[in-house]
Amino acid sequence: MADSLEPTDYETGSAIRTFNIIDSTVGPEGYEVLLDIDLDSGFDLESVKMKISHEDMEAYETKDIHEAVKYALGFFDTWQ
């Protein structure tokens, strides 16, 4: 539980090293995806729930939920 209700600004965070999609379901508003995430700091996040709307999928120009999760987490192709 948070010690304060005041928002906290952090200058840096830990990068995501890898992620695994455990489960995904589609509904009328979009996808609900269950993830395990490995952070660069050495910590793991398990059973993280992410919601991606159908509008998000259109914006990412993909129908592949794995690609959409990559984009949502900030994994972009850097080659041109």
Side-chain angles (χ1 to χ4, degrees), residues 11-43:
E11 291 184 24
T12 61
S14 183
I16 296 171
R17 185 178 300 160
T18 62
F19 69 92
N20 292 312
I21 296 177
I22 306 305
D23 189 31
S24 65
T25 55
V26 64
E29 295 182 17
Y31 289 84
E32 188 170 287
V33 184
L34 192 62
L35 304 165
D36 284 344
I37 299 173
D38 300 319
L39 300 176
D40 200 35
S41 64
F43 288 97

Side-chain angles (χ1 to χ4, degrees), residues 63-80:
K63 295 180 190 276
D64 180 359
I65 190 60
H66 190 270
E67 287 296 311
V69 170
K70 281 177 38 179
Y71 295 144
L73 293 176
F75 290 94
F76 298 100
D77 292 330
T78 56
W79 60 276
Q80 294 181 356

